[in-house]
Amino acid sequence: MTTALSHGLWACPCCRRLCRPGAGTGGDAERCPRCGATAHPRKPDSLSRTWALLIAAAILYVPANLLPVMQTSSMLGSSRDTIISGVVYFWTSGSPGLALLIFSVSILVPLIKLGALACLAFSVRHPGTAEPHRLGRLYRAVELAGRWSMLDIFVIALMVGLVRFRTLATIEAGPGAAAFGAVVVLSMLAAASFDPRLLWDASGPSSHEH
């Protein structure tokens, strides 16, 4: 398989210009002649960073779904709602579409994203498990899904801002919201840390990570 790296070319991570490393660079980094960004043959420690961020996100995924994401106080009492209790509430109150939307965006999509990233990282170490073109499409889908993973946080922030203008009720974000936000951020960082070019390296005659 012919790659840019096999011809001594590196891709700039910012402007995507192909760079040919000059003499005396040490073989680890090169300045892009167009934008000045630092280019590497492959992202340094890509797999190690990806796995570390994935494990941290998986650990926080549990409290994100078990701890309350929203705490409501009013003259009638107070309540602490988790993501799962919100899904159950909307389902039983006659809004199955909204319940399915929250379940998909807040529970299903983050779980699928973590699983997909783990599958991509696993495929680098175990080539031949899947065809590289399909893995590349999976990586692009993971990047696209990451932009729509903060729906719950946006809704909570909006409700907090609106209800605080009233004196009869207050809404505050709970610890589950912080954990959920951390899961989203860590999964986005894991996707950014993963170098999809490693998938093609693994499928070639010589597999290696730089």
Side-chain angles (χ1 to χ4, degrees):
M1 181 181 298
T2 301
T3 62
L5 183 62
S6 64
H7 290 277
L9 298 174
W10 300 355
C12 173
C14 295
C15 67
R16 299 301 180 185
R17 186 188 192 278
L18 289 179
C19 312
R20 186 177 297 277
T25 60
D28 295 327
E30 174 77 9
R31 288 289 182 182
C32 174
R34 175 187 291 169
C35 66
T38 302
H40 298 272
R42 295 295 182 261
K43 292 182 181 180
D45 302 320
S46 174
L47 282 185
S48 300
R49 295 174 185 270
T50 300
W51 277 118
L53 293 167
L54 275 178
I55 293 173
I59 293 174
L60 288 174
Y61 181 80
V62 177
N65 286 278
L66 297 181
L67 295 178
V69 296
M70 186 170 60
Q71 304 178 24
T72 307
S73 300
S74 65
M75 298 179 61
L76 301 178
S78 61
S79 62
R80 297 160 59 90
D81 299 306
T82 64
I83 295 177
I84 298 176
S85 67
V87 172
V88 174
Y89 170 78
F90 285 114
W91 183 270
T92 57
S93 62
S95 301
L98 187 56
L100 289 175
L101 177 63
I102 296 176
F103 176 80
S104 300
V105 174
S106 302
I107 298 178
L108 192 60
V109 170
L111 186 61
I112 293 177
K113 184 177 180 180
L114 294 179
L117 285 172
C119 177
L120 291 171
F122 180 83
S123 298
V124 173
R125 290 299 188 189
H126 300 81
T129 55
E131 202 269 332
H133 285 92
R134 295 182 179 179
L135 294 174
R137 289 193 291 268
L138 177 61
Y139 176 75
R140 289 191 291 271
V142 166
E143 282 193 313
L144 180 63
R147 305 173 186 176
W148 302 96
S149 302
M150 294 289 282
L151 178 62
D152 272 7
I153 305 301
F154 292 150
V155 172
I156 293 172
L158 179 62
M159 294 183 66
V160 169
L162 290 176
V163 178
R164 279 193 179 277
F165 286 102
R166 304 182 179 182
T167 59
L168 298 180
T170 59
I171 296 180
E172 297 180 351
F180 182 80
V183 171
V184 174
V185 172
L186 288 172
S187 62
M188 293 176 67
L189 290 176
S193 298
F194 182 77
D195 194 337
R197 295 172 295 182
L198 295 175
L199 299 171
W200 301 98
D201 292 344
S203 64
S206 61
S207 302
H208 59 279
E209 179 190 1
H210 296 274

